[in-house]
Amino acid sequence: MYVDPPAPQPRQPGETPPSTGSGALDGQPRAWEFNPEYQRLVSAWQAVLPLLDTLTTSLDKGYQMGKDARTWDAPVGARYVGEIAEWRTRLGLYRQAVLTSISDVAADTPRWIPRATGAPHAFS
């Protein structure tokens, strides 16, 4: 069994952005917005996890039924159970790879980004 990596956390009610900017304008108020790229990672995690859980549950159910002597009492039953066990292992590795990649990208993506304030720019 694999342990899932940490999930990207959605914006919590009452969560506030950083209070001050950094760099040349230290201490100056800045407009922030929740990063839409980070939100996409949260949405991807929330979409993928139930599907992976459904697949895992389906394979586990078939595996348990196949192991029961009342279900299949023939040499081919052992081969069938072995194939399901192999698919369970592959699904576990796939789950780990998908969730780890989402988690790694989320760890490198800032939750809050500076918002464009609408200041006039030359040639806009």
Side-chain angles (χ1 to χ4, degrees):
M1 191 68 181
Y2 298 97
V3 176
D4 290 341
Q9 296 300 312
R11 183 175 179 187
Q12 302 299 318
E15 181 180 354
T16 58
S19 59
T20 59
S22 61
L25 300 174
D26 280 343
Q28 298 296 320
R30 209 176 208 188
W32 294 92
E33 68 178 323
F34 195 74
N35 191 346
E37 294 297 321
Y38 191 88
Q39 183 58 44
R40 281 195 259 291
L41 293 168
V42 170
S43 298
W45 182 282
Q46 292 171 345
V48 161
L49 194 61
L51 298 173
L52 291 171
D53 287 340
T54 301
L55 288 171
T56 301
T57 302
S58 298
L59 282 176
D60 288 346
K61 182 179 178 184
Y63 181 74
Q64 293 303 326
M65 287 175 60
K67 280 180 35 177
D68 189 2
R70 295 176 297 168
T71 301
W72 205 320
D73 189 19
V76 73
R79 189 170 60 228
Y80 176 73
V81 169
E83 287 177 9
I84 293 178
E86 186 177 318
W87 278 106
R88 288 174 69 206
T89 301
R90 288 181 187 177
L91 180 60
L93 293 171
Y94 179 74
R95 175 188 181 110
Q96 188 71 19
V98 168
L99 295 181
T100 298
S101 65
I102 293 172
S103 180
D104 288 350
V105 172
D108 294 336
T109 304
R111 289 176 59 83
W112 294 92
I113 56 173
R115 179 185 306 150
T117 58
H121 298 288
F123 309 109
S124 57

